[in-house]
Amino acid sequence: MMERVKKNDPVATTEMGKRHKREGDFGKALEYYTKAAKLGDATAHCLLGGLYYQGEGVEKDMKKAVYHLEQA
């Protein structure tokens, strides 16, 4: 999967974020979700919205949550 991430595959990048979130590494999840969202992945935007809404690994931020959910 890392080969696909290195090639800027947004779906693979989102999946790496999910893997890190499952392992409790919210910082890495945020990093991968942000990269995937910039690459245009709607799922990554949705997951970012959830992180900001719940305050998981980031400070709760409703403006960012709404922004990412709207982008999704």
Side-chain angles (χ1 to χ4, degrees), residues 50-65:
L51 288 181
Y52 283 110
Y53 181 79
Q54 297 293 330
E56 294 179 311
V58 294
E59 191 171 322
K60 273 190 174 188
D61 187 328
M62 288 303 146
K63 280 182 76 172
K64 287 183 181 179

Side-chain angles (χ1 to χ4, degrees), residues 12-67:
T13 304
T14 298
E15 289 302 316
M16 283 300 283
K18 288 180 185 178
R19 185 179 295 177
H20 284 286
K21 184 177 181 216
R22 279 193 303 273
E23 295 170 357
D25 188 347
F26 294 103
K28 278 287 191 190
L30 177 68
E31 181 181 320
Y32 281 106
Y33 291 163
T34 300
K35 180 178 179 181
K38 288 179 180 176
L39 293 169
D41 190 68
T43 301
H45 275 292
C46 184
L47 294 168
L48 274 171
L51 288 181
Y52 283 110
Y53 181 79
Q54 297 293 330
E56 294 179 311
V58 294
E59 191 171 322
K60 273 190 174 188
D61 187 328
M62 288 303 146
K63 280 182 76 172
K64 287 183 181 179
V66 169
Y67 168 79

